[in-house]
Amino acid sequence: MNPEKKRKIRKIILLSILGLWIIGFIAKFTIEPADYYKSLNSKIEAAEKAAVVEIGNDNGQYSQYTVDAFLEKIREAKAVVQEKNLKHSKIKEYYNDFCDSIKEFKKAGNKDCLSESDVQKLISEGKDFQKSTRLSDAQSVHWQFSAADIQQGTAINLGVKQELNYTDVLKKYEEQLNLSGFAVVFLHNGSFPCALTVTVSVENVSASDNVQVYRFNPAAQEIGEPIPSRISDGQVSFAIAEGGVYFIFCGTPETGENETTQPTQDTPATGGETSPDATQTVPTEAPAPTEQGHAKPHESTSAPTQAPAVAPTQPPATEPPKNYCTIEIRCDTVVDTSKLTRPEVAPYIPKDGTILATTKVEFIEGETVFELLKRITREEGIQMEFRHELAYSGGAYIEGINHLYEFDAGSGSGWMYKVNGWFPNYGCHSYKIKPGDAIVWCYTCNIGKDVGDQYYD
């Protein structure tokens, strides 16, 4: 065979290989998965591997907040795979969004940090530090601290972002405080090595406005004590001791008393998770809270000299009727802890399966099973975690109670609720409680079959 013919054959072979590679590359992005749920499951595995990162405050490391937010997306995806109740178009959209979340997380390492050597240099030079970070076209954060205040030369994460995932919580506190709020996340892990002052620009805020700043605890779903702040020229300044989620509320109070209003959870009210307009507390325990969270003294409309007929007519007009129901939380299905796939949960399983014995509670008109669960677990000091997700029409999905989570006893395990022995076929955020309802939260190991769910089949 002559050399020219050999060259032609090689050329044909190379072009064929290249063509096959191009076809495969195009197919990878154009061929639709046959089963999006199966593909989503494989992406969940990839996401869990991607979530194993180094937590720290230096560039390239990750903020715990960023990791937690990503793990929340993974838990949501697992629930979607488990439920398998989305239409083809919806699961396709969810799958693509989840793939985008993985890509975003891989690029979400810390990018705006002072390394340990940077901090050591500031200490040696004795310089003050100032830096501005832009959150959006209309909003920015300005950092300021003195090198003389630095107690240890460790890295400082100056990453900050606006947070949009706390709409419901913000709304609750906005109604209590009669102010508008927004959330900002400071990505530093743990406490800062020195006292820092941050200045956040806020549109249309003036020195006469009422501004209140709080650090929010996502795990407990509550805010801490108010943080002192200063207002000037559309900016709010306050000291920050540690990273995390911060709520900033501001606005013009309608009355002077709003200037010192504290959220309901800090007053002697029945429970911090109740609706802000709740006024039905047990009178023998504490005065009822008003809409702003202030204590309302018990009313007395009759004096000793009044006619006897006047006094008995007042209470029915001022005291609305009280509504009661019962609530119970049980995990009988895992009293045999050998069923658990996560052995570290075993110490949280009561021997009789009773996390909360049947408890009579007062509820307000319109309160849902979800809202009552939040309130009672907080009052009783029982750990509870939930999320808002697509698979539940934007409603609440209970992930764990008393540290016992979905999938802790197999792929069909998780929390369910029943009312008067009936398992509603809709989310707990949609069921409005009625007087006399007997609510039971129970843990299933077999998608409801082992706890009597009538919809199991």
Side-chain angles (χ1 to χ4, degrees), residues 361-426:
V361 292
E362 182 184 346
F363 69 92
I364 61 172
E365 185 176 353
E367 192 169 14
T368 66
V369 168
F370 169 59
E371 291 168 333
L372 178 61
L373 178 67
K374 284 201 302 180
R375 175 158 64 88
I376 197 68
T377 51
R378 180 176 174 184
E379 290 175 2
E380 298 294 331
I382 300 170
Q383 181 271 347
M384 190 275 283
E385 186 174 353
F386 69 94
R387 67 173 177 264
H388 296 286
E389 61 168 41
L390 175 66
Y392 287 80
S393 303
Y397 179 82
I398 305 305
E399 291 186 308
I401 302 176
N402 203 43
H403 304 284
L404 178 61
Y405 281 72
E406 56 178 339
F407 312 132
D408 278 353
S411 60
S413 62
W415 285 99
M416 302 180 67
Y417 80 103
K418 60 182 177 180
V419 183
N420 305 326
W422 171 66
F423 287 83
N425 58 346
Y426 46 86

Side-chain angles (χ1 to χ4, degrees), residues 17-87:
I17 294 171
L18 180 61
L20 290 171
W21 184 85
I22 292 173
I23 291 171
F25 182 79
I26 294 172
K28 180 181 178 181
F29 292 97
T30 57
I31 295 177
E32 190 173 12
D35 184 347
Y36 272 106
Y37 281 103
K38 184 176 180 180
S39 299
L40 178 58
N41 206 40
S42 66
K43 286 296 180 183
I44 289 172
E45 293 177 3
E48 289 178 326
K49 292 179 181 178
V52 181
V53 294
E54 183 180 2
I55 304 297
N57 292 315
D58 215 336
N59 290 312
Q61 296 177 326
Y62 274 74
S63 167
Q64 186 64 59
Y65 175 85
T66 304
V67 175
D68 288 345
F70 185 57
L71 291 175
E72 176 67 21
K73 291 182 181 292
I74 294 175
R75 285 193 291 268
E76 179 183 279
K78 286 182 176 180
V80 170
V81 169
Q82 182 69 28
E83 294 294 333
K84 291 189 175 181
N85 62 350
L86 296 181
K87 293 181 179 180

Side-chain angles (χ1 to χ4, degrees), residues 221-236:
Q221 289 290 300
E222 63 183 17
I223 59 178
E225 294 296 319
I227 300 171
S229 59
R230 301 190 308 274
I231 316 162
S232 64
D233 300 327
Q235 295 181 325
V236 178

Side-chain angles (χ1 to χ4, degrees), residues 13 15 48 53 66 87 93 96 116 177 192 207 227 246 251 277 305 318 373 443 455:
I13 293 172
L15 289 174
E48 289 178 326
V53 294
T66 304
K87 293 181 179 180
E93 180 183 349
N96 291 330
E116 185 173 337
L177 298 169
F192 288 101
I227 300 171
Y246 286 75
D277 60 353
T305 56
T318 58
L373 178 67
Y443 192 81
Y455 294 111

Side-chain angles (χ1 to χ4, degrees), residues 260-274:
T260 56
T261 295
Q262 299 298 321
T264 305
Q265 66 181 51
D266 295 326
T267 68
T270 310
E273 293 293 351
T274 53

